[in-house]
Amino acid sequence: MSHEAQTCAGLIREANAIAVLTGAGISTNAGIPDFRGPKGLYITKKYDPDTVFDINAFYRDPEPFYAFARDFIELEKTIKPTFTHSFLSKLEESGKLKGNITQNIDALHQKAGSKNVLEMHGSFWTSRCVDCGKMYTYEKLKDHLITSPNVPCCDCQGTIKPDIVFFGENVKYFEESIQLAASVDLFFVIGTSCVVFPAAMIPSYVTGKIVVVNLSEVRLNASNVSLAVQDDIDRFFKEVAGYLEKENNEK
Ligand code: CNA
C-alpha cells in the first residue's frame, strides 16, 4: 500500500471539516468521457466541446448539442456512481465532509447519496425555454428526445435548453462554493484539470490543507497543497478507505 494513501487517510482522520471540488475525472471510471484526460473528448474528438457547449453556438444551431444530449440520455440509464462517489457520500454521512463542489453534470454524487452538492455547471435535471422561460423536467426532455428527431421546442416554439452552464454563461453557486472552500481545514481537488474558470479559482480560497488526486499533473495557484497524487482516483481512494478501515478496526 502506498505512503500517499496512508498520508491521505491520516489527513482525513485529523480533519474536522472537509470539502471537495470534483471534475470529469471522477466519472471516467463510470464510463463518462472527460474533456482533457487520455480518452477525453478533446482527444477522441467524438464531439467538439468548444462547439457543443458554447452558448452562442447553441443559439445559432442547437443540433450539435442535442446529438450529444441524445447519447447522454442513453448513457444516463446505465451509469452508476464510482467507488469514490460512494466514498465521498459515506464521508458526508459521517459528518466530516461538509459539501461537494462539482463541475460535473452527471448527478453521480447525488446518485451515490451525497446531499450537499453544489453543481457549479448546472445539470440536465431541469431545462428551460430560451424564449419564455417555461421549465421542463428531465423526464419531459427525455421523452421528447426519444420520440422525436427534432430539437425540443416549447409550446411557444422557443428552443428548450437544459440548465447546464455552457461556455459563455455564468456559473452557479460561486459564492457558496467559495464560502465552503474557505470554511474547511481539508480540501480535496479530485479529477479536474483545473483549467476551466472560474471553478479553477476555488482552491485559491482554501485556507486549510489541499490534497490533489488526478492522473495528470494539476497546477494550482495555491501554496497549501499538502499532497499531490498522480494516480487513478478509485484505485487511490480504495487504498485510503483500506487504511481508514484498518485504523477503525484497531481502535
Ligand atoms: P477535464 O479538463 O476533462 O479534466 C479531467 C481530469 O481528470 C484530467 O486531468 C484527467 O487526467 C483526469 N482523470 C480522468 N480520469 C481519471 C481517473 N480515473 N483518475 C484520475 N484522474 C483522472 O475536466 P474538468 O472537470 O476539469 O473540466 C471541467 C469541464 C468538464 C466542466 O465544464 C464539466 O462540466 C465538463 N465535463 C463533465 C463531465 C461529467 O459530468 N461527467 C464529463 C465531461 C466533461
Side-chain angles (χ1 to χ4, degrees):
M1 283 194 155
S2 81
H3 176 65
E4 286 172 329
Q6 192 172 13
T7 305
C8 182
L11 289 170
I12 292 175
R13 197 184 53 245
E14 286 160 19
N16 292 314
I18 304 173
V20 299
L21 169 67
T22 61
I26 194 176
S27 298
T28 55
N29 287 335
I32 307 175
D34 60 4
F35 282 179
R36 296 174 188 82
K39 295 179 187 160
L41 294 181
Y42 282 123
I43 307 287
T44 63
K45 302 201 186 314
K46 181 158 189 212
Y47 315 98
D48 172 11
D50 295 336
T51 308
V52 168
F53 300 109
D54 180 88
I55 192 62
N56 293 318
F58 180 87
Y59 287 140
R60 278 195 302 274
D61 177 13
E63 282 284 358
F65 170 78
Y66 274 109
F68 158 81
R70 286 175 198 282
D71 281 355
F72 180 84
I73 61 163
E74 278 307 309
L75 190 65
E76 194 276 321
K77 287 184 205 155
T78 55
I79 48 168
K80 292 194 176 68
T82 63
F83 176 86
T84 306
H85 286 103
S86 302
F87 175 81
L88 295 175
S89 160
K90 284 181 204 142
L91 208 56
E92 185 180 340
E93 209 180 296
S94 79
K96 273 213 174 187
L97 183 81
K98 305 301 176 191
N100 309 266
I101 305 162
T102 189
Q103 300 165 81
N104 294 344
I105 55 170
D106 56 29
L108 286 180
H109 283 295
Q110 293 93 326
K111 276 194 180 167
S114 291
K115 301 279 182 293
N116 188 15
V117 185
L118 298 172
E119 294 176 308
M120 282 191 84
H121 294 168
S123 79
F124 258 101
W125 314 117
T126 52
S127 297
R128 260 160 248 274
C129 168
V130 297
D131 288 342
C132 75
K134 183 173 173 187
M135 208 179 90
Y136 290 86
T137 62
Y138 181 61
E139 291 308 316
K140 275 263 179 214
L141 182 78
K142 204 160 70 174
D143 276 357
H144 179 99
L145 292 177
I146 290 168
T147 54
S148 163
N150 301 327
V151 166
C153 275
C154 181
D155 306 331
C156 78
Q157 297 312 307
T159 304
I160 295 174
K161 175 190 165 290
D163 289 337
I164 291 168
V165 175
F166 282 48
F167 293 126
E169 289 190 299
N170 290 334
V171 297
K172 299 171 193 272
Y173 308 113
F174 188 57
E175 285 304 318
E176 292 91 332
S177 298
I178 290 174
Q179 275 172 24
L180 177 62
S183 71
V184 296
D185 54 359
L186 181 62
F187 191 82
F188 282 96
V189 176
I190 303 175
T192 171
S193 55
C194 271
V195 297
V196 176
F197 282 82
M201 281 162 63
I202 298 292
S204 66
Y205 292 92
V206 176
T207 52
K209 293 174 179 168
I210 298 179
V211 174
V212 181
V213 186
N214 202 63
L215 271 181
S216 50
E217 194 187 353
V218 180
R219 287 173 197 273
L220 288 186
N221 183 18
S223 56
N224 38 345
V225 176
S226 296
L227 189 62
V229 181
Q230 273 185 256
D231 198 351
D232 177 82
I233 293 163
D234 287 334
R235 207 202 65 73
F236 180 71
F237 279 104
K238 276 178 193 163
E239 266 197 62
V240 173
Y243 276 112
L244 290 172
E245 222 168 283
K246 198 162 155 249
E247 284 164 12
N248 275 344
N249 292 340
E250 284 167 3
K251 270 185 198 162

